[in-house]
Amino acid sequence: MIQLHLSWERLRNRFNLQAIRRSPLAGLSPVTLSPSLQTLIQLFVNRLDSVESVLPYEYDVFDFCKDDNERRPSENLGQVLFGERIETSPYKFSFKKDVKCQELCTKVYTKGKPEDKNMLDFLKRGMQLNYQHHWIVDNMPVTWCYDVEDSQKYCNPGFPIGCLVTTDGRAKDACVINSEFNKKNTFYIFNHVAIKITYHNGEGEGWRGARLVAATLEPKSIKNADAEKPTCEGLPMEVPGEFDSDLKITYTYSVTFEENNDIKWASRWDYILVSMPHTNIQWFSIMNSLVIVLFLSGMVAMIMLRTLHKDIARYNQVDQEDAQEESGWKQVHGDVFRPPRKGMLLSVFLGQGTQIFIMTFITLFLACLGFLSPANRGALMTCSVVLWVLLGTPAGYVSSRLYKTFGGEKWKTNVLLTALLCPGIVFADFFLMNLILWVEGSSAAIPFGTLVAILALWFGISVPLTFVGAYFGFKKPAIEQPVRTNQIPRQIPEQSFFTKPVPGIVMGGILPFGCIFIQLFFILNSIWSHQMYYMFGFLFLVFIILLITCSEATILLCYFHLCAEDYHWWWRSFLTSGFTAVYLFVYAVHYFFSKLQIVGAASTILYFGYTSIMVLIFFLFTGTIGFFACFWFVNKIYSVVKVD
């Protein structure tokens, strides 16, 4: 049993860390340092964020020590959209030169100065909401490692500004780590960091120099009596809740270097990822749920095949008089391909859904291969946006081809709606959220130039490509149906409760949601709780399972409705699997109230605004899967049955 567990642990770690280790992209190659060259190590700072607020802020907003020669590395589109704002910091040190208690700067807040009071109040607000620093060395996060329950170590790729002891003496967040943080209505700022840089020496491996393999720190709160000669020892640095006297905060740091040749450069992310909570989750329970979903899918497929085989054999009997007296899906052959109501809107949704499906598939596949690892910041979002822009042609083609099949003639309206409707809704929501971020002064607010660039991509590339796809789609003949449609619609008999539209649609989304909700928890954690997500191999597997379950659940319910002689399957097939998005929204609401500690009206509006975008995209994606699965199924069964 122990050997089985160890084998599973090794397999799990290889499966999950492979995407991080493979980093063939530019900017992710090893940087070799040499003490003889007095190599300078530059520490970069990223935005600060909090699990209690959706609003991230730039490093400079909090009045920390700034770099005199501040510069920003070039940021890709994904980083800008996620609000990452990386810049140089005043923390600079030479390789293999230890530093003890180096003064960085001293900030003075004078009582009676409104600007000082505002800066200090903003700093206190950041500590109250537990805002976290995110520092970077050699493209690696500087982590704060500490012990948690069961003697396990957790390495957090961030550390707090400070912490608060409330007016009733309750220590919040990081204040629980030190018994000296005990004064009521007092903030304790972490103004000293003890940084440890671990490196791998390459002398015994055929290359000279060293490569950084880990960067950790320990934040401390220290009140230095003499700002010019700090000792980095003594009582904590208290920031009173009431600003009733002048205040000085001296920022200091220490640096030590440690050699460790057991850690290879390619494996330097392992200590972070293995320690994160979602690497030690109930893996066996997740695998069990996937096995159950696969088993149910197999059962559904087997039942469908056996039942359909009997139906087709019975319908193809020579004695047609007996067949005419029977009921079943053959009886609606003259109405099953009758064009749906609102065919224009359905075709537009399916065109956009096809675009989203292809984009998601390619993005996840590239992520599995390691091209979009977390080490390459913003790559995942950049890839998704670029792919979406370039996939306008299949969207226009699918929409126009189906619209022509439905007998539509307003081709101009169809192509314009395909190019503008759903992207317009997403952009309008995104623009409103961006206005809120801009008003709040958040770093996540997209600059005006980037908004113009996004509009240029949309109208300059995506829309013309959609027109091209629609042109080829309308030139093609309408999809030929296997049976003729009667001129007079057949009357639909009285339906039972379970074959009525609404109950069937509501039930249809349960099984697909059941196979994704565990992964959904970790995806929401990565977005809103700022945890690193890297399990793309497993996510791709869940993506394939979702395709199977959406398809089979929709086909099964479509078959039941046709057997009940209800031939309105076009919209129902789309909404049956698309209803999974409603369960996604319900789960997001549950996650907001049960897992997050978000406070403030702006953060709440932002959460539900961005969630609405996710739900709409997921609705189009799952609905399209269900529709085309049902479309293939209906064409298949009516093409093999004899019809007079």
Side-chain angles (χ1 to χ4, degrees):
M1 187 69 183
I2 295 174
Q3 290 180 345
L4 177 64
H5 178 71
L6 291 175
S7 300
W8 172 254
E9 288 292 317
R10 286 194 292 269
L11 177 63
R12 184 199 71 187
N13 288 335
R14 285 187 63 188
F15 181 69
N16 289 315
L17 302 176
Q18 207 60 247
I20 305 297
R21 292 177 177 176
R22 290 194 297 268
S23 308
L25 303 180
L28 300 182
S29 56
V31 176
T32 304
L33 304 173
S34 173
S36 61
L37 300 175
Q38 297 293 320
T39 306
L40 185 71
I41 297 176
Q42 173 68 67
L43 188 146
F44 291 87
V45 291
N46 202 344
R47 68 176 189 178
L48 287 86
D49 52 37
S50 167
V51 295
E52 298 181 31
S53 174
V54 180
L55 302 166
Y57 290 100
E58 291 193 48
Y59 177 83
D60 291 346
V61 176
F62 285 95
D63 195 37
F64 297 125
C65 301
K66 297 177 178 60
D67 187 11
D68 294 333
N69 300 313
E70 182 179 292
R71 57 185 176 83
R72 295 177 182 269
S74 59
E75 297 169 338
N76 57 44
L77 181 61
Q79 287 177 290
V80 176
L81 293 176
F82 272 127
E84 293 196 21
R85 298 293 184 267
I86 300 175
E87 59 189 63
T88 56
S89 76
Y91 297 89
K92 299 179 177 69
F93 25 85
S94 298
F95 179 57
K96 292 185 73 174
K97 281 197 171 183
D98 293 353
V99 175
K100 185 177 181 181
C101 197
Q102 176 68 42
E103 180 197 358
L104 206 61
C105 72
T106 300
K107 295 290 182 178
V108 180
Y109 301 94
T110 306
K111 181 186 176 183
K113 281 190 176 182
E115 58 272 18
D116 287 0
K117 183 180 184 304
N118 292 335
M119 287 183 180
L120 193 59
D121 286 344
F122 193 77
L123 188 62
K124 291 178 185 177
R125 180 67 175 168
M127 288 187 276
Q128 184 179 357
L129 293 177
N130 196 27
Y131 269 83
Q132 305 270 319
H133 286 281
H134 293 283
W135 292 359
I136 303 166
V137 168
D138 190 29
N139 201 40
M140 277 199 70
V142 182
T143 58
W144 176 31
C145 297
Y146 51 88
D147 294 327
V148 292
E149 65 272 4
D150 300 329
S151 301
Q152 293 182 343
K153 180 170 284 190
Y154 173 59
C155 291
N156 184 15
F159 67 96
I161 297 174
C163 59
L164 165 67
V165 177
T166 61
T167 52
D168 56 359
R170 181 170 56 90
K172 285 187 63 181
D173 304 316
C175 278
V176 300
I177 65 175
N178 193 335
S179 59
E180 293 183 345
F181 299 163
N182 52 26
K183 193 172 181 179
K184 294 182 180 180
N185 193 26
T186 302
F187 296 86
Y188 293 90
I189 187 167
F190 292 129
N191 59 331
H192 176 80
V193 286
I195 304 171
K196 183 172 76 171
I197 306 292
T198 307
Y199 64 91
H200 178 97
N201 199 326
E203 291 181 359
E205 300 185 17
W207 51 275
R208 291 185 177 182
R211 294 171 180 171
L212 304 187
V213 293
T216 60
L217 59 75
E218 182 183 358
K220 297 180 181 180
S221 179
I222 300 173
K223 184 176 183 179
N224 292 288
D226 187 354
E228 296 181 358
K229 296 180 180 179
T231 60
C232 298
E233 295 177 353
L235 297 174
M237 180 67 215
E238 298 177 356
V239 179
E242 300 294 333
F243 185 32
D244 50 10
S245 61
D246 294 351
L247 182 69
K248 286 185 179 181
I249 301 177
T250 301
Y251 292 90
T252 56
Y253 70 95
S254 302
V255 180
T256 57
F257 289 86
E258 179 183 86
E259 182 177 334
N260 187 341
N261 294 327
D262 295 331
I263 305 175
K264 305 297 183 184
W265 184 88
S267 304
R268 63 181 188 160
W269 286 74
D270 290 14
Y271 83 98
I272 304 173
L273 302 176
V274 171
S275 75
M276 296 182 77
H278 62 272
T279 58
N280 296 316
I281 56 170
Q282 306 90 342
W283 274 84
F284 286 108
S285 67
I286 290 180
M287 294 305 296
N288 284 339
S289 67
L290 289 175
V291 169
I292 291 170
V293 170
L294 286 172
F295 175 74
L296 289 174
S297 300
M299 290 292 292
V300 168
M302 202 164 66
I303 292 170
M304 291 291 299
L305 289 174
R306 292 190 63 181
T307 308
L308 269 175
H309 181 73
K310 290 181 180 179
D311 285 348
I312 292 168
R314 179 163 53 90
Y315 288 147
N316 288 338
Q317 288 176 351
V318 179
D319 189 358
Q320 295 295 324
E321 292 182 1
D322 294 340
Q324 287 176 3
E325 296 175 0
E326 294 178 1
S327 61
W329 52 267
K330 183 185 176 183
Q331 307 307 312
V332 295
H333 67 83
D335 298 274
V336 72
F337 291 107
R338 190 176 300 282
R341 297 176 181 175
K342 307 292 184 184
M344 171 84 78
L345 185 62
L346 180 60
S347 63
V348 168
F349 282 175
L350 291 169
Q352 283 295 320
T354 304
Q355 188 176 9
I356 293 168
F357 168 74
I358 301 173
M359 176 199 75
T360 307
F361 179 84
I362 297 176
T363 302
L364 289 180
F365 184 73
L366 291 176
C368 284
L369 297 179
F371 288 99
L372 306 177
S373 73
N376 191 19
R377 292 175 177 82
L380 190 72
M381 177 60 77
T382 304
C383 178
S384 299
V385 173
V386 171
L387 282 173
W388 181 85
V389 168
L390 296 177
L391 289 169
T393 302
Y397 180 83
V398 170
S399 176
S400 60
R401 189 86 192 277
L402 287 171
Y403 182 62
K404 189 173 183 179
T405 302
F406 296 158
E409 297 178 353
K410 299 178 181 178
W411 63 271
K412 294 180 181 178
T413 307
N414 173 261
V415 67
L416 285 173
L417 286 177
T418 304
L420 303 177
L421 179 62
C422 296
I425 294 172
V426 171
F427 184 81
D429 189 329
F430 182 76
F431 183 74
L432 290 174
M433 297 304 104
N434 198 62
L435 284 179
I436 296 174
L437 292 168
W438 178 73
V439 170
E440 296 289 336
S442 172
S443 67
I446 308 301
F448 179 75
T450 306
L451 283 176
V452 173
I454 293 172
L455 288 172
L457 289 173
W458 179 15
F459 287 101
I461 301 177
S462 180
V463 172
L465 288 176
T466 306
F467 289 172
V468 171
Y471 171 76
F472 287 107
F474 278 114
K475 283 196 70 176
K476 285 275 189 178
I479 300 173
E480 187 176 349
Q481 312 297 2
V483 291
R484 293 191 304 270
T485 301
N486 296 334
Q487 291 183 355
I488 302 174
R490 178 188 177 92
Q491 186 175 359
I492 298 174
E494 185 68 26
Q495 299 291 304
S496 66
F497 174 77
F498 293 103
T499 56
K500 288 181 179 178
V502 174
I505 291 171
V506 171
M507 289 188 297
I510 294 176
L511 188 61
F513 179 77
C515 75
I516 65 164
F517 82 96
I518 296 176
Q519 276 298 303
L520 188 61
F521 172 76
F522 298 116
I523 292 172
L524 291 178
N525 269 353
S526 69
I527 296 173
W528 304 114
S529 297
H530 313 295
Q531 295 183 9
M532 196 176 298
Y533 188 89
Y534 63 93
M535 298 189 294
F536 294 110
F538 192 77
L539 183 61
F540 188 73
L541 176 62
V542 173
F543 173 78
I544 299 300
I545 298 296
L546 177 64
L547 297 184
I548 297 171
T549 49
C550 278
S551 302
E552 293 191 339
T554 308
I555 289 173
L556 184 63
L557 289 168
C558 181
Y559 173 73
F560 289 153
H561 291 134
L562 290 176
C563 287
E565 300 182 23
D566 184 353
Y567 51 82
H568 294 306
W569 64 272
W570 299 97
W571 270 107
R572 189 177 295 173
S573 62
F574 184 87
L575 296 175
T576 297
S577 54
F579 202 81
T580 311
V582 177
Y583 292 110
L584 168 63
F585 181 76
V586 172
Y587 184 82
V589 173
H590 164 74
Y591 180 84
F592 177 81
F593 288 106
S594 63
K595 303 296 182 183
L596 298 179
Q597 300 92 40
I598 288 177
V599 294
S603 293
T604 303
I605 294 171
L606 287 167
Y607 176 86
F608 285 104
Y610 287 127
T611 299
S612 300
I613 295 176
M614 292 170 51
V615 169
L616 174 61
I617 292 172
F618 195 71
F619 170 71
L620 296 172
F621 166 68
T622 52
T624 301
I625 295 169
F627 175 87
F628 282 112
C630 195
F631 184 76
W632 170 83
F633 170 75
V634 173
N635 273 272
K636 198 72 175 175
I637 63 173
Y638 283 98
S639 63
V640 296
V641 69
K642 293 180 181 178
V643 177
D644 290 340

